Amino acid sequence: MGALGLPEDSFDAVLSGVPRDFLKLAHYPGNTDGAPERQGVGPHKDSDILTLLWQDETGGLQVFLEGKGWIDAVPLKNSFIVNVGETLELATDGYLTADIHQVVMDARHTKSRYSIPYFIGPNLDLKEIPILSLPKELKDQARGPATDPMNPLIRNPGINTMKGRLRSHLGTTERFYPGHYKIIKEKGIIASSAY
Ligand SMILES: O=C(O)CCC(=O)C(=O)O
Ligand SMILES: [Fe+2]
């Protein structure tokens, strides 16, 4: 919050409440037969506040840059990737934007990829994510949250988190939330994701 020119406690309401952070251990099998693509993670934004992501030296993670397309997030030893999540995009009214990323195990990646994302999530009991009162010079640069009809950013953190979970685990969604599954399949409004 200090980096945004705000008091350190400005985001306490979003960070408080029952713990809802989680850590995932991911394994993507290597692409050993030269197929154009093997199992990865489809393009998505993380729905949380921030993600701290450790990846091994295999590579496979890509970030979408406007005007440039997909670029490799080349592994840097002893470093973490920090993804801005949808919650921060909503809270800063689009001053910070959640990055669109994917994992593509193309023919370059013959070895298994291991990654450990740590998702820092919002208080699920809040009714809505508040908009932070950014200093004028930052506020002037805020473009408003993205309005992609394929991935609506929902201000209620419980519903937005649920959106992320449903699209991540389509098999479970089909079995226990058949109505939601139908919407995802028919309208495609929730892109594929691991989160
Ligand atoms: O495994 C990775 O490197 C990224 C996974 C990811 O983007 C996610 O789980 O949200
Ligand atoms: Fe992600």
Side-chain angles (χ1 to χ4, degrees), residues 50-62:
L50 279 177
T51 307
L52 308 181
L53 170 66
W54 177 87
Q55 60 173 340
D56 69 4
E57 73 289 349
T58 299
L61 181 66
Q62 296 185 324

Side-chain angles (χ1 to χ4, degrees), residues 41 44-46 51 83 101 119 193-195:
V41 177
H44 68 283
K45 293 176 169 186
D46 291 346
T51 307
N83 284 326
H101 53 281
F119 301 97
S193 164
Y195 175 56

Side-chain angles (χ1 to χ4, degrees), residues 130-152:
I131 300 183
L132 292 161
S133 306
L134 294 179
K136 184 173 175 346
E137 67 273 20
L138 303 188
K139 206 185 176 92
D140 287 349
Q141 298 173 56
R143 294 177 290 176
T147 52
D148 179 357
M150 296 289 277
N151 181 37

Side-chain angles (χ1 to χ4, degrees), residues 98-177:
D99 55 297
I100 300 173
H101 53 281
Q102 65 179 4
V103 175
V104 175
M105 295 298 285
D106 61 31
R108 294 175 297 167
H109 306 301
T110 52
K111 280 189 5 188
S112 277
R113 166 187 174 79
Y114 293 90
S115 71
I116 310 176
Y118 178 65
F119 301 97
I120 302 170
N123 179 354
L124 299 180
D125 292 328
L126 278 184
K127 287 218 165 30
E128 52 179 47
I129 300 295
I131 300 183
L132 292 161
S133 306
L134 294 179
K136 184 173 175 346
E137 67 273 20
L138 303 188
K139 206 185 176 92
D140 287 349
Q141 298 173 56
R143 294 177 290 176
T147 52
D148 179 357
M150 296 289 277
N151 181 37
L153 303 195
I154 303 161
R155 205 160 270 289
N156 179 298
I159 297 176
N160 202 47
T161 301
M162 185 72 171
K163 173 194 78 175
R165 296 289 198 282
L166 292 175
R167 70 186 178 190
S168 308
H169 306 286
L170 282 178
T172 310
T173 303
E174 181 176 17
R175 186 160 169 204
F176 294 103
Y177 303 92

